[in-house]
Amino acid sequence: MGFDEEWRRHRAEAAARIDAEPATVPEEPERNRVAEFPGRLAGFQRRVVLVPFDERGGLWTSQFGGVDWICAFSDDEALARFAQARGETESVWEYHRVLGARLLDDVIPELDFACGVALDAAGPDGVLFPPVRGIVPDTAAVYGGVAA
């Protein structure tokens, strides 16, 4: 199963659990993850990440939940996990090194579609930075499913 299919399957399973479970107060680990997000965002903004090129020479993106996500990786090992999850370990992966803040503040606003950043998506510490206020500039933020 490829990365995109695996990602969709996990999302569908999570949505089914949410629909099946009554609303409750989040458990401690979930609250901790929410509380940690501002620090993870700040760390990402200061970090140089690897963004592989797609077959057309653009930044590698994957669509999920009606939004495109630029796939970014914290290091060579994280990129290798992504390649392995896609079954493409024999391929040569060319990539661009870019500051996380540049992706969020400069690249995403230049796109003509809703786009966020998926950092280390094939790893245990992956995180999504969605195209919403406070993460991307207001001009690139999505409001109710529509880009501003």
Side-chain angles (χ1 to χ4, degrees), residues 12-143:
E13 289 172 0
R17 282 193 309 274
I18 290 168
D19 289 342
E21 297 173 3
T24 60
V25 175
E27 293 183 25
E28 193 64 31
E30 186 174 334
R31 278 187 284 202
N32 289 342
R33 283 193 302 272
V34 171
E36 292 171 358
F37 186 79
R40 293 198 70 184
L41 174 60
F44 174 74
Q45 291 169 319
R46 292 188 303 268
R47 173 181 234 149
V48 173
V49 295
L50 312 179
V51 180
F53 293 113
D54 65 15
E55 63 278 355
R56 297 172 310 223
L59 299 180
W60 189 290
T61 61
S62 183
Q63 191 171 72
F64 178 68
V67 176
D68 284 75
W69 300 89
I70 296 171
C71 296
F73 303 93
S74 55
D75 53 33
D76 292 325
E77 290 80 21
L79 179 55
R81 280 193 304 272
F82 179 73
Q84 183 176 14
R86 294 186 56 82
E88 298 180 29
T89 54
E90 299 300 318
S91 300
V92 174
W93 287 70
E94 293 185 37
Y95 57 84
H96 182 66
R97 291 180 188 274
V98 62
L99 189 64
R102 182 135 193 256
L103 280 176
L104 297 174
D105 297 337
D106 298 333
V107 174
I108 289 177
E110 292 298 318
L111 302 174
D112 59 356
F113 52 90
C115 191
V117 176
L119 177 66
D120 296 338
D125 294 323
V127 64
L128 296 176
F129 298 103
V132 297
R133 289 177 97 173
I135 296 177
V136 298
D138 288 350
T139 57
V142 174
Y143 299 94

